[in-house]
Amino acid sequence: MRLIKLTAISAAVLASTAALAAEPVIVVDGNDAVVYEAEPVAVAYEAEPVAVAYNADAGIVRNTTGAVVGGTKTFFQTAINPASVSAEVGTLGYGANIGWSLNEKTELQAGWAGGDVADLFGGDFDANDVNYDVDSDFSNPYLGVQLRPTGNWFTMGAGIIVPDNDFDVTANPDGGVYKINDVSYVADSVGALQGSMEHRNKLAPYGTIGFRPNITNNFGLFGEIGAAYMGKTNATVTASKTGPVRVEDGFTDGGTIVPGVTPGDVAALAEKELEDKDYLEWMPIVKLGATYRF
């Protein structure tokens, strides 16, 4: 019993001493002063880290969300906002392209050029001894990279063309004959030799060098020269007549009939000459244009 009383008294004394030793904390709210004991201060102290932790977590969530949204927005803007648009005319045709700047010296380009540009090549060509008039229908979508290796107006380009170029050809008789493989076939007995040509390559690599001076902050001009490897050609030629074929021999007026030879045989010989010609196997690239930069 005495031990229990002594223990209770000691506990009471220690509690009273701790209470007396704890200094009050004064919190000023406006003009009023409110005194809190140590225990409320401890409670306030414990509440404060919770608020700080909550704010810190909230900040992390907001920052993370902002980074994701910001990153998506940057990618989206890059994809739909090109650095430039250009109009061009040249040996590939009339067209335009869009450019995206990868850095200060590199630009990715996607474009298309086409149309009837046979007149740019003179409108005709010779396959051995036969002259052909040409009409063309070009379609040349392309994807490439433009480099400014020295950081100024000088450029170098490379890429891939997906060519779909058709050539319609019509043979022109010379002196009333088609001279094929050193044989002069009378044009009246063969009829009109007409056909088409197309390149065999489905993908054509190209390379260019050029210049791109800026006229203003937004407008500029450009010129390029180079070549694209289109590959060999496939040709189809037909003759408009079906009767016997005559050849000019210099002795018989109107020519001598060649037994067993048809106008279709003459057309086949002309077709082979066209394929051997490899017309525009290396397509020259010469283009001029104007650029608007955003």
Side-chain angles (χ1 to χ4, degrees), residues 6 21 50 113 123 127 133 144 170 179 188-189 198 211 213 239 249 253 265:
L6 290 174
V50 175
D133 288 331
T170 301
K179 189 174 182 180
D188 286 342
S189 67
E198 63 178 0
F211 64 94
D249 56 13
D253 187 22
D265 295 329

Side-chain angles (χ1 to χ4, degrees), residues 54-111:
Y54 175 80
N55 289 337
D57 291 342
I60 293 172
V61 172
R62 284 197 301 272
N63 291 340
T64 302
T65 304
V68 172
V69 173
T72 304
K73 186 177 181 181
T74 300
F75 175 79
F76 184 71
Q77 287 179 336
T78 301
I80 68 169
N81 292 298
S84 64
V85 293
S86 302
E88 63 183 57
V89 59
T91 53
L92 292 178
Y94 310 90
N97 67 63
I98 302 174
W100 293 268
S101 291
L102 303 182
N103 54 51
E104 292 182 356
K105 296 184 178 181
T106 308
E107 185 172 274
L108 179 67
Q109 290 184 338

